[in-house]
Amino acid sequence: MRRSALLALPLLLLVSACDDYTAPSLYQATTPECKTWTEGSRFALPRGISVYATPPVTLKEGGTELALIFTLPVGTQASFTRLSFLLEEPKQAPFAEAKILTIYQRGVSRKAEMVDVIDTLPIMFSAVGSSAETQWRLRLQLPRQLPQRFDLSMPDMLVAGKRYPVRTFTYRYFPERQAYGMCS
């Protein structure tokens, strides 16, 4: 009995070390005006997992797109608590859902490979074993009519059985650039 307790001690210490995670700021905007153009925003999750949001791109044919890049170190997995990315004006109910256009995964040390195009998010993202890190890239389409300022509300993520909130990314229209951009 005593021997099994001694063997379990290192395992318990390893598990408790994983709980040292402190979430970065959960809201991207640092000022009420959100006047500063930002080229992108990275949010760290436990176990080295991260999500990076890009600034939106205005398309010539109309419409706006942005990308979310989830990076997972080898041996990790993450899943969503909901399968939608909601758009909302600050402190208001969601006004739309971002449409997922494409999803692909690639090991960062390999050439990108398209995965099957699917209509909904996969239930779980997993890292591939042949690369130190795996990227899952989601290209999202936003509605044609957007308010002057809006937030992209991310679903919480499940990592190693625990639920973690993910940053709300903030965007606004910049008249001097005549485009929407990410702001802080």
Side-chain angles (χ1 to χ4, degrees):
M1 179 77 158
R2 184 176 263 169
R3 175 184 264 171
S4 62
L6 288 175
L7 292 174
L9 183 61
L11 189 57
L12 287 173
L13 291 174
L14 181 63
V15 169
S16 66
C18 294
D19 290 338
D20 289 342
Y21 171 77
T22 302
S25 174
L26 291 176
Y27 195 70
Q28 180 181 343
T30 55
T31 63
E33 302 82 27
C34 201
K35 289 184 178 182
T36 306
W37 179 279
T38 305
E39 288 301 325
S41 181
R42 182 181 176 279
F43 183 80
L45 287 157
R47 299 190 178 212
I49 298 170
S50 67
V51 60
Y52 180 81
T54 67
V57 174
T58 304
L59 306 174
K60 288 181 184 177
E61 62 275 3
T64 306
E65 293 181 5
L66 60 90
L68 297 172
I69 303 162
F70 294 83
T71 304
L72 290 85
V74 68
T76 60
Q77 297 177 334
S79 58
F80 297 104
T81 57
R82 72 169 190 263
L83 298 178
S84 61
F85 298 94
L86 304 176
L87 301 170
E88 54 195 37
E89 291 185 67
K91 299 180 182 179
Q92 293 189 23
F95 63 84
E97 210 175 285
K99 179 182 176 186
I100 299 169
L101 296 176
T102 59
I103 299 172
Y104 75 83
Q105 89 174 58
R106 73 178 186 98
V108 294
S109 59
R110 299 184 323 175
K111 186 176 179 179
E113 296 176 15
M114 292 298 288
V115 296
D116 293 333
V117 176
I118 54 176
D119 294 333
T120 58
L121 286 171
I123 293 173
M124 182 176 292
F125 289 158
S126 295
V128 297
S130 59
S131 183
E133 290 184 323
T134 301
Q135 286 184 349
W136 284 84
R137 185 179 179 96
L138 283 66
R139 200 177 90 205
L140 305 177
Q141 180 181 45
L142 305 180
R144 293 225 178 230
Q145 297 297 320
L146 292 167
Q148 289 293 307
R149 180 173 166 185
F150 64 93
D151 295 329
L152 175 65
S153 174
M154 301 285 295
D156 290 352
M157 301 291 292
L158 295 174
V159 177
K162 286 186 73 176
R163 184 181 186 133
Y164 295 95
V166 179
R167 173 174 290 152
T168 296
F169 297 103
T170 309
Y171 303 86
R172 80 172 183 88
Y173 186 75
F174 286 86
E176 64 277 10
R177 294 178 183 236
Q178 296 183 344
Y180 281 94
M182 186 173 265
C183 65
S184 60

